[in-house]
């Protein structure tokens, strides 16, 4: 039996096909919790941050959170931590579903993949039996088929599969890792690292639940928190009914809904593609959820053409919809399904097509380059489907798209048309309309990203309190607190969406109950701060310099339309204060003293 | 010219309506608009948007021409015929 604060680590040397087990406990766990935090510490200690992300010297770490597999609400998550090929920063992608909990049940809390296999392999964990198996037969197969075949090969229909699709094998820079077919460790290209190692999948089925914790103490807290989550207007009512797509109309109404590669902030056809439309058009079948989740925000959809799957979520619907100027919900959902099956990050896939559309319309991409593919025009629903498939297989023009929008736009001489930070595409909120969120974009440790410090919550949604999106005062502190709190949630293996109803004290309570650790809220938040600083330090050592803490030039231009028309980004006015409250140097570097004080070095 | 009121999210789905319009004779406040809506929709909006002390419920989103009334004059924000009011229950995603 494994106590949750004594991590069992599988070290899988793919080059020599050797598997060893190790343990991590004590101070390291207290200082880094698990999941994103602990795996980032391992990566920082074990690799040179300068390695080529797609070389055998990079490592790929699967890590469950401290509370993954326990009774904690939404406690089913795992993270994949590595150096990412899209950004060159530390990459950490988080996924729900059931795979993470099953991995924890099997008694294997963290897997470190090293080197590169000589031929395609997958890791099979069936009870006590852990082995690398040949994956030649399934190499090249999409995610759905791979999942079905591996479950069949496991001989147990309850086995859980986490795998890459063709995009990961082809080293598409934003390939995802998928579990239970539709759940994604989506961003930063973790799937390409997996592909570069010739690793197709991890399959796991536990014999018995090897998760030991202070159950009685924890159950009391779980009961209380489940009640909070069920009774809250957002987590108990809004998310179950409409999922994340409730945001389309909110963000559009406030004039921060990026349209046509962020050229506009209002999408006139929003009523065609919104979460409400998904319900009204009858595409939405039911809602569903991950392990231990009382919220159940995920959507099962069925299209008029008979195809069904999960999604689209808000970000995905936006990336293929408004960002590409497409108002066809059928095509958007189809592009989403293709991403899931071929293993692509939906945000970067859609946003890269949007960038290509602007490049094409401005004459920076030749018609010849498209090799008879549909014209890359804003609004073309044909294009989003066609090029999504092409980029996953790196066929024709898809090969250029597979590099992401920054490298694409740069190769055409117009890097400024890539709406990205540190080469990762921005998600569905125009930073000019939400100034704190803009600061979060530039200081996110994995580049353009909304789930490192979701300032939309206070600045637009009024959770936990309503802040004026254009006010600058106090925002650096808010951003820092959100970033550090998120690092905690990711490290304990709960879903970020719980934070719409739960706060720091609640996370402290559940961690302490399950482990009998004695965190105060302050010391727990300091743990989040430590994780954030460690990630930043990794990036600095990797050569991602503070000069990169910036937004594309487009955001210095005023918003052209909507209720916030005329406003441009103001992050530069608050970035120095952010560095200061972080205790960083004026130039954005972290001093040796600070690293020592934070027990990072 | 009319005052446009748009319903979204659960409001739209539960009421099976995308919104309504009013032709006003003079300016009214958001508090007064909610009373008007209550008459037409069976007291639905007071219950969904306001607390017992008649303050705005946490997370409820009331926009006037895209601006949240919390940063305007709250429930005393004045509206007239050319304005658009947009209503959301507490919502989140990401
Ligand atoms: S809130 Fe949604 S994403 Fe989070 S655990 Fe529940 S179903 Fe999964």
């Amino acid at each position: 039996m494994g106590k949750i604060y004594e991590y069992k680590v599988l070290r899988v040397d793919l080059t020599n096909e050797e598997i060893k087990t190790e343990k991590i406990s004590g101070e390291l766990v207290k200082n880094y919790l698990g999941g994103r935090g602990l795996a980032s510490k391992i990566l920082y200690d074990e690799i040179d941050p300068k390695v080529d992300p797609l070389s055998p010297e990079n490592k790929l770490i699967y890590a469950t959170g401290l509370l993954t597999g326990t009774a904690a609400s939404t406690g089913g998550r795992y993270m994949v931590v590595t150096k990412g090929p899209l950004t060159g920063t530390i990459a950490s992608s988080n996924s729900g579903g059931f795979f993470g909990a099953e991995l924890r049940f099997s008694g294997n809390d963290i897997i470190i993949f090293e080197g590169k296999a000589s031929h395609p392999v997958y890791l099979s964990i069936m009870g006590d039996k852990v082995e690398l198996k040949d994956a030649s037969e399934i190499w090249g197969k999409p995610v759905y088929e791979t999942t079905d075949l591996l479950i069949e090969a496991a001989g147990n229909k309850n086995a859980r599969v986490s795998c890459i699709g063709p995009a990961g094998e082809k080293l598409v820079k934003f390939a995802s890792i998928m579990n239970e077919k539709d759940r994604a460790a989506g961003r930063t290209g973790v799937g390409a690292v997996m592909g570069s190692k010739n690793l197709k999948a991890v399959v796991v089925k536990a014999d018995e639940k090897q998760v030991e914790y202070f159950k009685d103490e924890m159950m009391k807290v779980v009961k209380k928190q489940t009640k909070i989550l069920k009774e809250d207007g957002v987590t108990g009512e809004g998310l179950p009914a409409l999922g994340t797509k409730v945001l389309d109309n909110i963000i559009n109404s406030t004039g921060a809904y990026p349209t046509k590669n962020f050229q506009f902030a209002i999408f006139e056809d929003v009523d065609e593609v919104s979460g409400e439309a998904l319900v009204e058009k009858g595409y939405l079948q039911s809602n569903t959820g991950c392990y231990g989740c009382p919220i159940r925000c995920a959507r099962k959809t069925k299209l008029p053409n008979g195809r069904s799957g999960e999604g689209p979520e808000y970000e995905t619907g936006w990336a293929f919809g408004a960002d590409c100027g497409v108002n066809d919900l059928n095509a958007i959902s189809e592009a989403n399904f293709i991403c899931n099956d071929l293993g692509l990050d939906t945000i970067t896939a859609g946003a890269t097509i949007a960038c290509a559309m602007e490049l094409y319309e401005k004459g920076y991409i030749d018609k010849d380059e498209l090799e008879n593919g549909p014209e890359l025009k804003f609004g073309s629903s044909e294009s989003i489907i066609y090029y999504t498939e092409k980029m996953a297989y790196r066929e024709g023009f898809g090969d250029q798209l597979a590099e992401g929008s920054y490298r694409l736009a740069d190769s055409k001489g117009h890097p400024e048309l890539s709406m990205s930070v540190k080469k990762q595409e921005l998600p569905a909120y125009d930073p000019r309309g939400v100034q704190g969120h803009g600061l979060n974009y530039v200081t996110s440790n994995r580049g353009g990203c909304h789930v490192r410090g979701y300032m939309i919550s206070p600045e637009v949604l009024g959770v936990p309190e309503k802040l004026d999106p254009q006010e600058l005062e106090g925002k650096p502190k808010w951003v820092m607190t959100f970033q550090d709190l998120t690092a905690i949630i990711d490290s304990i293996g709960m879903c970020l969406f719980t934070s719409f109803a739960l706060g720091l004290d609640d996370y402290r309570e559940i961690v302490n109950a399950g482990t009998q650790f004695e965190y105060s809220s302050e010391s727990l938040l300091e743990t989040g701060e430590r994780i954030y600083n460690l990630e930043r330090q990794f990036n600095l050592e990797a050569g991602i310099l503070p000069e990169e803490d910036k937004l594309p030039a487009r955001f210095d231009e005023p918003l052209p339309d909507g209720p916030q028309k005329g406003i441009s980004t103001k992050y530069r006015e608050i970035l120095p204060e952010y560095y200061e409250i972080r205790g960083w140097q004026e130039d954005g570097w972290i001093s040796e003293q600070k690293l020592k004080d934070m027990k990072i070095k | 010219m009319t005052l446009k009121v748009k319903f979204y999210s659960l409001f739209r789905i539960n009421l099976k309506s995308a919104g309504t319009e009013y032709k006003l004779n003079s300016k009214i406040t958001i508090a007064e608009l909610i009373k008007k809506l209550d008459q037409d929709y069976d007291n639905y909006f007071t219950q969904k948007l306001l607390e017992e002390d008649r303050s705005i419920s946490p997370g409820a989103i009331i926009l006037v021409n895209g601006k949240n009334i919390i940063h305007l004059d709250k429930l005393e924000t004045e509206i007239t015929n050319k304005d658009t009011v947009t209503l959301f229950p507490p919502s989140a995603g990401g």
Side-chain angles (χ1 to χ4, degrees), chain A residues 326-585:
Chain A
V326 170
N327 64 6
D328 175 352
L329 198 49
N330 211 344
I332 294 167
S333 307
E334 181 77 31
N336 186 174
F337 296 165
I338 295 172
C339 285
N340 289 0
D341 202 21
L342 302 183
L344 286 173
D345 171 34
T346 56
I347 298 179
T348 291
T352 298
I353 294 176
C355 172
M357 286 173 164
E358 189 173 353
L359 287 165
Y360 184 78
E361 290 199 347
K362 295 205 157 129
Y364 305 136
I365 293 174
D366 277 350
K367 196 159 189 258
D368 294 351
E369 292 185 68
L370 305 183
E371 295 181 5
N372 298 323
E375 284 197 79
L376 275 163
K377 289 207 164 135
F378 283 115
S380 163
S381 44
E382 198 190 349
S383 284
I384 59 171
I385 294 174
Y386 180 88
Y387 290 105
T388 297
E389 194 150 338
K390 288 285 171 197
M391 69 173 109
Y393 288 104
R394 281 189 179 272
E395 284 168 3
F397 188 65
D399 194 33
Q400 296 187 48
L401 294 168
E403 293 292 298
S405 71
Y406 185 85
R407 291 171 178 88
L408 172 72
D410 192 39
S411 74
K412 307 294 173 205
H414 290 278
E416 76 284 0
L417 295 184
S418 164
M419 296 303 118
S420 58
V421 170
K422 301 183 176 83
K423 302 193 177 73
Q424 176 159 265
E425 289 66 20
L426 294 175
Y429 317 88
D430 192 305
R432 292 168 286 193
V434 264
Q435 300 290 347
H437 201 60
L439 179 64
N440 171 61
Y441 281 158
V442 300
T443 58
S444 151
N445 285 329
R446 60 172 201 182
C449 169
H450 61 295
V451 289
R452 283 296 176 271
Y454 190 61
M455 285 296 291
I456 299 304
S457 194
E459 291 187 292
V460 180
L461 307 172
V463 181
E465 62 181 272
K466 184 71 181 72
L467 303 180
D468 187 332
Q470 289 303 332
E471 175 64 55
L472 299 180
E473 205 181 317
K475 288 287 166 69
K477 181 80 189 160
W478 271 91
V479 170
M480 171 174 157
T481 307
F482 263 52
Q483 289 173 337
D484 295 348
L485 182 65
T486 304
I488 296 168
I489 300 169
D490 287 346
S491 301
I492 63 179
M494 285 172 72
C495 175
L496 186 54
F497 285 175
T498 55
S499 68
F500 292 126
L502 304 179
L504 175 62
D505 293 344
D506 297 302
Y507 297 111
R508 178 203 14 99
E509 218 182 325
I510 191 130
V511 168
N512 284 348
T515 57
Q516 297 295 296
F517 287 173
E518 289 175 341
Y519 286 109
S520 62
S521 291
E522 293 72 37
S523 67
L524 186 61
L525 194 60
E526 198 184 298
T527 305
E529 187 188 355
R530 177 176 303 113
I531 295 164
Y532 211 81
N533 274 268
L534 176 122
E535 292 173 336
R536 169 90 173 178
Q537 183 61 23
F538 181 99
N539 292 346
L540 290 167
E541 290 180 29
I544 312 294
L545 305 181
E547 288 84 86
E548 301 283 316
D549 295 346
K550 63 165 197 247
L551 289 173
R554 172 158 289 163
F555 302 110
D556 290 320
E557 292 161 21
L559 276 169
D561 57 358
Q564 308 202 71
K565 185 175 171 177
I567 294 172
S568 49
T569 180
K570 302 194 182 90
Y571 74 91
R572 285 191 199 81
E573 293 174 39
I574 45 178
L575 187 60
E577 184 189 334
Y578 172 88
Y579 286 168
E580 192 185 327
I581 58 167
R582 276 255 174 235
W584 296 345
Q585 297 175 179

Side-chain angles (χ1 to χ4, degrees), chain B residues 58-75:
Chain B
I61 300 174
I62 306 172
L63 307 176
V64 172
N65 304 325
K67 299 229 158 74
N68 196 308
I69 62 163
I70 292 179
H71 312 303
L72 301 169
D73 285 328
K74 304 201 169 62
L75 292 168

